[in-house]
Amino acid sequence: MPFEIIIMFTLPNLPYDYVALEPYIDEETMRLHHDKHHGAYVKNLNEILAGQEELLKMEVEELLQNLDKVPADLKQNVINNGGQHYNHSLFWEIMSPEYDQKPEGEILTAINKDFGSVEKFQEEFEKKALGRFGSGWIWLVVKNGKLEIMDTVNGDSPVILGLTPVLGLDIWEHAYYLKYRNMRIDYVKAWWRVVNWKRVGELYKEVKG
Ligand code: MN
């Protein structure tokens, strides 16, 4: 059998245990969300791009920034599944079992400058999270040197728009419905407790260059 290199997108491991974000994000949600939902997006993406070696060897961020290289009939599926692969990979990274972290340093200075205070930033972020009808994500991105809150629908990602998010909240019902049912606000309030501000601060520095 000839030697064959198989290039594929892979599901990243969680940087902590499934139970690590309890009681804020429950174990069952984490297992389903990571293994089944994120796992399916990765599997779908590989199947959609089967045989497209040039695209399969890209990092997912690069793929989303080069959608013009994706065949037209595959594009929406790549946006959906590739976007979700990127979004979830970031989502796991910006949560931490080190609860109740606070923004510090440059990201704190930027939040104060662009939103007035951390509290005002959180209020605006929550408003966006409650106002988003249906499935999607709420983001903190750097745009023209300033922090901005934005939302995207379904599997869309700020990366497709050329923006790099430093913080993202999944508000698809699969992210919270087992524990929080219809109370999206309770999920958002609990999620603040597990935000990995240390990592968000590092991402902010990278994006600012
Ligand atoms: Mn999700």
Side-chain angles (χ1 to χ4, degrees):
M1 208 177 148
F3 182 71
E4 190 186 7
I5 299 169
I6 299 170
I7 311 160
M8 290 179 99
F9 292 97
T10 53
L11 177 65
N13 289 325
L14 281 181
Y16 35 74
D17 194 82
Y18 297 101
V19 302
L21 304 180
E22 290 267 13
Y24 307 110
I25 313 282
D26 61 289
E27 176 185 1
E28 193 185 8
T29 296
M30 288 303 291
R31 284 191 184 276
L32 284 168
H33 200 177
H34 176 269
D35 297 6
K36 304 296 179 191
H37 289 274
H38 190 176
Y41 297 130
V42 173
K43 185 170 173 281
N44 292 343
L45 185 60
N46 286 322
E47 285 172 5
I48 292 157
L49 294 178
Q52 308 274 346
E53 282 199 25
E54 195 206 342
L55 300 172
L56 282 170
K57 69 185 178 202
M58 289 180 177
E59 295 290 331
V60 66
E61 191 168 355
E62 191 188 354
L63 174 67
L64 295 171
Q65 289 164 343
N66 287 279
L67 288 171
D68 55 322
K69 292 186 180 156
V70 175
D73 58 326
L74 305 181
K75 201 174 282 188
Q76 190 56 51
N77 274 336
V78 167
I79 290 171
N80 294 344
N81 292 282
Q84 285 293 65
H85 177 30
Y86 174 88
N87 295 348
H88 285 86
S89 299
L90 178 74
F91 188 56
W92 312 131
E93 212 184 301
I94 55 87
M95 296 190 289
S96 165
E98 263 180 66
Y99 303 145
D100 293 333
Q101 293 183 34
K102 300 281 177 251
E104 283 173 14
E106 286 178 38
I107 182 83
L108 175 63
T109 307
I111 287 173
N112 285 335
K113 183 167 127 322
D114 296 331
F115 299 99
S117 69
V118 174
E119 292 68 31
K120 282 195 185 131
F121 155 68
Q122 287 185 320
E123 259 172 50
E124 200 178 310
F125 197 95
E126 285 173 8
K127 209 166 134 194
K128 203 75 152 175
L130 294 186
R132 164 112 287 283
F133 185 80
S135 295
W137 291 76
I138 312 302
W139 305 99
L140 181 62
V141 299
V142 182
K143 193 176 174 186
N144 305 322
K146 283 185 69 177
L147 286 173
E148 255 185 46
I149 295 167
M150 66 177 287
D151 61 346
T152 54
V153 66
N154 297 329
D156 278 3
S157 179
V159 173
I160 297 169
L161 306 170
L163 298 166
T164 307
V166 297
L167 180 69
L169 171 61
D170 188 346
I171 52 163
W172 283 57
E173 284 184 346
H174 68 225
Y176 65 88
Y177 214 84
L178 285 178
K179 184 176 171 77
Y180 295 99
R181 303 296 167 182
N182 59 320
M183 297 307 291
R184 188 187 281 179
I185 185 62
D186 293 350
Y187 160 64
V188 179
K189 296 269 186 206
W191 177 75
W192 289 125
R193 310 285 304 266
V194 295
V195 169
N196 187 350
W197 281 108
K198 210 176 289 173
R199 185 69 191 127
V200 176
E202 286 169 7
L203 289 169
Y204 176 71
K205 279 190 198 170
E206 282 170 26
V207 176
K208 287 280 281 184

